[in-house]
Amino acid sequence: MSVAFTKEESAETAAETLLPDRPISPHPNLVTEAGLKALEAQLQEARVAYEAAAAVEDVNEKRRQQAGPLRDLRYLNERLRTAQLMPEPTSAEIVAFGSTVTFSRDDGRVQTYRIVGEDEADPKAGSISYVSPVARILMGKAVGEVMSVGDQELEIVAIA
């Protein structure tokens, strides 16, 4: 094997194993109880994946397989370290972190979302991040209030 081939392979392997860190949001890491549990479960999954990759005998393949879980471990450890568990809303009078809000749009659509932390937000599953434009506008408002988002108006129909 030539030295050039070895160095090229090593550089290629290094590029595959030195993944950039997942970006950490500058916003406070507010979480619901379910969001905190989800972060803990994801951390455990990343640990299992990292340990499974450690069993691979080929050093280069081991590094490749450990790169993703290692990056996830760094991210999830930081997110858990900075997590601020928020209490459930005590009132359905005003939209707050953790509230489930139903609103109508001026085009006739009615949508319902729970306002949650950034890591647990999944609009397709009915949750949005508290830092999203819609959530920011809804926070602190009551049923019947109308707000503008871009070129649309939203009216809060229900808060739970």
Side-chain angles (χ1 to χ4, degrees), residues 18 22 34 41 48 54 58 64 70 89 99 120 122 126 139 150 156:
L18 298 175
R22 291 172 58 180
V48 168
D58 179 81
R64 274 189 214 98
L70 185 59
S99 294
E120 59 189 306
D122 182 359
M139 299 278 276
I156 297 176

Short mmCIF file of all heavy atoms in Angstrom, two decimals, residues 18 22 34 41 48 54 58 64 70 89 99 120 122 126 139 150 156:
data_model
loop_
_atom_site.label_atom_id
_atom_site.label_comp_id
_atom_site.label_asym_id
_atom_site.label_seq_id
_atom_site.Cartn_x
_atom_site.Cartn_y
_atom_site.Cartn_z
N LEU A 18 -15.34 13.90 11.79
CA LEU A 18 -15.33 15.19 12.48
C LEU A 18 -16.54 16.00 12.04
O LEU A 18 -16.42 16.99 11.33
CB LEU A 18 -14.03 15.95 12.21
CG LEU A 18 -12.76 15.26 12.68
CD1 LEU A 18 -11.54 16.04 12.24
CD2 LEU A 18 -12.78 15.09 14.19
N ARG A 22 -24.15 20.20 16.16
CA ARG A 22 -25.49 20.67 15.87
C ARG A 22 -25.62 22.06 16.49
O ARG A 22 -25.15 22.28 17.61
CB ARG A 22 -26.53 19.72 16.46
CG ARG A 22 -26.56 18.37 15.76
CD ARG A 22 -27.44 17.36 16.46
NE ARG A 22 -28.82 17.80 16.58
CZ ARG A 22 -29.76 17.07 17.17
NH1 ARG A 22 -29.48 15.89 17.69
NH2 ARG A 22 -30.99 17.53 17.26
N ALA A 34 -42.89 16.55 29.09
CA ALA A 34 -42.76 15.57 28.00
C ALA A 34 -41.51 15.86 27.16
O ALA A 34 -40.82 14.93 26.72
CB ALA A 34 -44.00 15.59 27.11
N ALA A 41 -34.64 10.49 26.56
CA ALA A 41 -34.74 9.27 25.75
C ALA A 41 -33.81 9.36 24.53
O ALA A 41 -33.16 8.37 24.18
CB ALA A 41 -36.19 9.06 25.30
N VAL A 48 -26.64 4.38 23.21
CA VAL A 48 -26.72 3.00 22.71
C VAL A 48 -26.08 2.91 21.32
O VAL A 48 -25.31 1.99 21.05
CB VAL A 48 -28.20 2.52 22.69
CG1 VAL A 48 -28.35 1.23 21.91
CG2 VAL A 48 -28.71 2.37 24.12
N ALA A 54 -18.97 1.18 18.87
CA ALA A 54 -17.68 0.87 19.51
C ALA A 54 -17.30 -0.59 19.33
O ALA A 54 -16.13 -0.95 19.40
CB ALA A 54 -17.73 1.23 20.99
N ASP A 58 -13.09 -2.62 12.64
CA ASP A 58 -12.32 -1.75 11.77
C ASP A 58 -12.31 -0.33 12.35
O ASP A 58 -13.37 0.27 12.56
CB ASP A 58 -12.92 -1.75 10.36
CG ASP A 58 -12.16 -0.85 9.41
OD1 ASP A 58 -11.11 -1.28 8.89
OD2 ASP A 58 -12.63 0.29 9.20
N ARG A 64 -16.40 6.24 11.72
CA ARG A 64 -17.52 6.71 10.89
C ARG A 64 -18.86 6.49 11.59
O ARG A 64 -19.72 7.36 11.62
CB ARG A 64 -17.53 5.98 9.54
CG ARG A 64 -16.66 6.60 8.50
CD ARG A 64 -16.90 5.94 7.12
NE ARG A 64 -15.65 5.93 6.41
CZ ARG A 64 -14.81 4.90 6.31
NH1 ARG A 64 -15.11 3.75 6.84
NH2 ARG A 64 -13.68 5.01 5.66
N LEU A 70 -21.86 10.57 18.46
CA LEU A 70 -21.02 11.43 19.29
C LEU A 70 -21.48 12.89 19.19
O LEU A 70 -21.58 13.59 20.20
CB LEU A 70 -19.56 11.30 18.87
CG LEU A 70 -18.55 12.07 19.73
CD1 LEU A 70 -18.63 11.63 21.18
CD2 LEU A 70 -17.15 11.88 19.18
N PRO A 89 -49.43 25.27 32.31
CA PRO A 89 -50.20 26.51 32.51
C PRO A 89 -51.27 26.29 33.59
O PRO A 89 -51.89 25.24 33.64
CB PRO A 89 -50.85 26.77 31.15
CG PRO A 89 -50.11 25.93 30.18
CD PRO A 89 -49.51 24.79 30.94
N SER A 99 -49.54 25.92 26.64
CA SER A 99 -50.96 26.01 26.28
C SER A 99 -51.21 25.36 24.92
O SER A 99 -50.35 25.36 24.05
CB SER A 99 -51.41 27.47 26.17
OG SER A 99 -51.37 28.13 27.40
N GLU A 120 -38.85 19.99 21.01
CA GLU A 120 -40.03 19.14 20.96
C GLU A 120 -41.07 19.61 19.95
O GLU A 120 -42.08 18.95 19.75
CB GLU A 120 -40.65 18.98 22.34
CG GLU A 120 -41.08 20.28 22.99
CD GLU A 120 -41.50 20.11 24.44
OE1 GLU A 120 -42.37 19.27 24.74
OE2 GLU A 120 -40.96 20.85 25.28
N ASP A 122 -43.10 20.10 16.70
CA ASP A 122 -43.37 19.31 15.50
C ASP A 122 -44.73 19.75 14.95
O ASP A 122 -45.76 19.22 15.35
CB ASP A 122 -43.38 17.82 15.85
CG ASP A 122 -43.61 16.94 14.63
OD1 ASP A 122 -43.79 17.46 13.50
OD2 ASP A 122 -43.61 15.70 14.81
N GLY A 126 -48.83 18.81 15.72
CA GLY A 126 -49.64 19.73 16.50
C GLY A 126 -48.92 20.51 17.57
O GLY A 126 -49.55 20.98 18.52
N MET A 139 -48.78 34.37 22.39
CA MET A 139 -48.47 34.38 23.84
C MET A 139 -49.02 35.65 24.50
O MET A 139 -48.86 36.75 23.99
CB MET A 139 -46.96 34.30 24.06
CG MET A 139 -46.32 33.04 23.51
SD MET A 139 -46.44 31.62 24.57
CE MET A 139 -45.06 31.91 25.62
N GLY A 150 -47.90 38.37 9.34
CA GLY A 150 -47.66 38.60 7.92
C GLY A 150 -48.86 39.28 7.32
O GLY A 150 -49.34 40.31 7.81
N ILE A 156 -58.02 33.95 18.13
CA ILE A 156 -57.97 32.85 19.08
C ILE A 156 -59.40 32.41 19.38
O ILE A 156 -60.25 33.19 19.77
CB ILE A 156 -57.25 33.27 20.39
CG1 ILE A 156 -55.80 33.64 20.06
CG2 ILE A 156 -57.32 32.14 21.42
CD1 ILE A 156 -55.02 34.16 21.26
#
